[in-house]
Amino acid sequence: MYYNDAKPEKIYYQGLALLKLGRKDEANGRFYKLINYGKQHIFEHQKMDYFAVSLPDLLIWDDSLDTKNRIHCYCMLALGYAGMGDAEKARQYMDEVRKLDINHHILRIIL
């Protein structure tokens, strides 16, 4: 995802708001969007985009782009399944996030 794309948490909260408004089909669309993105991109090899906004972070911290991508996709999957009400799958993906980054901010959102 690019820096100007909607953050997964924003899409998750949009879905929750739509559920509260009784617009379940629209809400599920948001949650499926998260799940589908996570499934489609989780194993993609990431390469450096030298125009990327996050380049300074990557130069300072020795992070793997592939690991960051997996964390991002696991987060999207967890949020999507949490929104759909599948707590078991949401927890499964959050456990994967926890294994890779115990301090990830998304862990506080749905746990």
Side-chain angles (χ1 to χ4, degrees):
M1 294 187 78
Y2 297 98
Y3 71 95
N4 59 344
D5 287 343
K7 301 286 186 231
E9 308 89 272
K10 181 178 180 180
I11 297 169
Y12 172 71
Y13 285 124
Q14 285 175 345
L16 292 181
L18 289 165
L19 282 177
K20 288 281 188 185
L21 293 171
R23 296 160 53 184
K24 186 174 181 177
D25 289 341
E26 288 179 74
N28 286 343
R30 299 299 196 285
F31 301 137
Y32 285 129
K33 182 178 180 178
L34 292 168
I35 292 167
N36 289 336
Y37 185 95
K39 285 182 177 182
Q40 290 174 7
H41 298 281
I42 195 162
F43 297 113
E44 283 182 357
H45 173 68
Q46 302 298 304
K47 59 185 178 197
M48 179 64 72
D49 178 1
Y50 288 97
F51 189 68
V53 174
S54 59
L55 180 59
D57 284 346
L58 295 172
L59 294 175
I60 295 171
W61 312 110
D62 190 24
D63 288 339
S64 161
L65 291 176
D66 291 331
T67 300
K68 288 175 79 91
N69 178 62
R70 272 196 308 282
I71 291 169
H72 181 72
C73 289
Y74 285 140
C75 288
M76 293 183 85
L77 288 161
L79 290 170
Y81 283 115
M84 296 294 295
D86 191 338
E88 184 177 328
K89 280 190 179 179
R91 189 169 295 112
Q92 170 191 344
Y93 287 113
M94 290 314 297
D95 287 344
E96 294 299 323
V97 172
R98 189 178 293 110
K99 287 177 193 173
L100 296 170
D101 183 0
I102 190 70
N103 294 314
H104 197 282
H105 74 277
I106 208 87
L107 294 169
R108 293 181 291 277
I109 291 176
I110 63 171
L111 294 182

